[in-house]
Each structure stands twice: as C-alpha cells, then as structure tokens.
C-alpha cells in the first residue's frame, strides 16, 4: 500500500499509483483560497450535515454538495439526488473555478471529455474519519472521480 503526501510538491508532478489512480502533487494549491471561498458560499446555501448510513451510524465527516446532483445517505441507502433534503431546493451550482480545475486535472490524466455534474464536499474536523471503501453508486464507471484535498497534512492510503 502506498503512503503519499498530498502536499509534498507544487510542481504538479503526476504520480500514477495504480492502474487508474493518479496524484497531481499540489495541483489545487494556487487556487485553493479562491475555491475555498466559493465553497463557503455553497455551504451557506446547503449547510454541512452529518449523514446517517444505511446501517444507522452517524458519519463523523460533515458533508454538503454542489452541482446538478448531490450525494446523500440515510436509512434507505446511498444515492445521488437533484435536491438537497434539508433545504428541499436544488443543490447550489458548482463554482466554475472548481469545475474547470476538475476538468483540467482529469484531462491531465487522460480523461479529456470529463465534465463533472456532482461535487461532494467533505469537511473533517479533528477526530473525523472516513473508512476504507469503494464508491459503487455511480451510473457510469468510465468517468473519473476527481478529488481535491485542502488543509492539514494527512496520510492518504
Ligand atoms: O473526503 C475524501 O477525500 C474521501 C471521500 C470519499 O471517499 C467519499 O466521500 O466517498
């Protein structure tokens, strides 16, 4: 198992660490402040919340979404919805800067026609964690998942 420092370098070096998994070192850093400020706007509209998993456990991570679809979980299962169950309104639009950066990151890894329609926002306060898992709720596995990480150094397994 590889252990990688997400913030090790800002030269956008690409590390391919499995058949279809790539790390772009420091890729988001130059635009981090802008993106975080847009995301603060998103969570004013669709607040962070702690979801309950189908098994009944409360997730420690605080979550919101933006884009055409948002990811949710409750006792009925994991799924994507076009409406925030708290506000009962559509999820806030995905900030253009974030969407463009995700498209550019995907293109750098060979996914030239990727255009994201959903963005899950996970906020980890001290003590929050996400267990090892594999996402399988998506309808098209030919599309990449682009993940940007901000904040304190972490060990990414
Ligand atoms: O927050 C992360 O970077 C991991 C997200 C994740 O695996 C998930 O939400 O399914």
């Amino acid at each position: 198992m590889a252990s990688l420092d997400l913030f090790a370098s800002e030269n956008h070096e690409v590390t391919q660490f499995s058949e279809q998994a790539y790390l772009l070192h420091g890729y988001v850093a130059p635009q981090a402040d802008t993106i975080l400020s847009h995301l603060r706007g998103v969570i004013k509209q669709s607040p962070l919340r702690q979801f309950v998993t189908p098994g009944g456990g409360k997730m420690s991570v605080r979550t919101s979404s933006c884009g055409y679809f948002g990811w949710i979980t409750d006792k009925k299962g994991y799924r994507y919805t076009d409406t925030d169950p708290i506000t009962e309104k559509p999820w806030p639009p995905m900030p253009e800067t974030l969407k463009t950066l995700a498209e550019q990151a995907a293109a750098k890894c060979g996914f030239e026609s990727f255009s994201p329609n959903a963005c899950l926002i996970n906020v980890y306060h001290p003590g929050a964690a996400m267990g090892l898992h594999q996402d399988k709720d998506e309808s098209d596995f030919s599309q990449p998942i682009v993940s940007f990480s901000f904040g304190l150094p972490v060990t990414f397994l």
Side-chain angles (χ1 to χ4, degrees):
M1 187 182 308
S3 179
L4 298 165
D5 183 342
L6 297 183
F7 308 106
S9 142
E10 294 197 3
N11 63 7
H12 302 177
E13 175 194 328
V14 180
T15 300
Q16 180 168 9
F17 57 93
S18 75
E19 193 188 336
Q20 290 211 318
Y22 304 84
L23 172 64
L24 278 66
H25 300 264
Y27 195 74
V28 75
Q31 294 189 67
D33 290 347
T34 307
I35 290 175
L36 287 172
S37 142
H38 290 317
L39 290 177
R40 285 190 191 99
V42 166
I43 63 176
K44 275 191 188 138
Q45 299 170 67
S46 270
L48 296 171
R49 77 288 310 260
Q50 287 174 274
F51 278 125
V52 173
T53 65
K58 192 189 212 181
M59 295 179 77
S60 58
V61 63
R62 288 167 169 77
T63 295
S64 184
S65 283
C66 57
Y68 294 113
F69 301 99
W71 181 87
I72 71 162
T73 171
D74 56 22
K75 289 186 181 166
K76 288 190 240 155
Y78 302 118
R79 62 201 181 277
Y80 288 88
T81 61
D82 56 9
T83 305
D84 178 345
I86 290 186
T87 64
E88 299 182 342
K89 293 182 183 157
W91 295 99
M94 194 181 310
E96 265 320 302
T97 331
L98 178 62
K99 183 169 180 283
T100 303
L101 203 65
E103 289 169 353
Q104 289 169 347
K108 234 173 137 50
C109 301
F111 296 92
E112 275 83 13
S113 57
F114 175 63
S115 181
N117 56 9
C119 171
L120 170 62
I121 303 160
N122 287 330
V123 175
Y124 299 82
H125 287 119
M130 173 88 55
L132 283 178
H133 65 280
Q134 192 175 27
D135 295 321
K136 292 181 186 155
D137 305 312
E138 292 67 30
S139 56
D140 183 353
F141 290 109
S142 69
Q143 297 300 308
I145 293 173
V146 177
S147 174
F148 294 133
S149 298
F150 306 88
L152 298 172
V154 295
T155 302
F156 182 72
L157 300 175

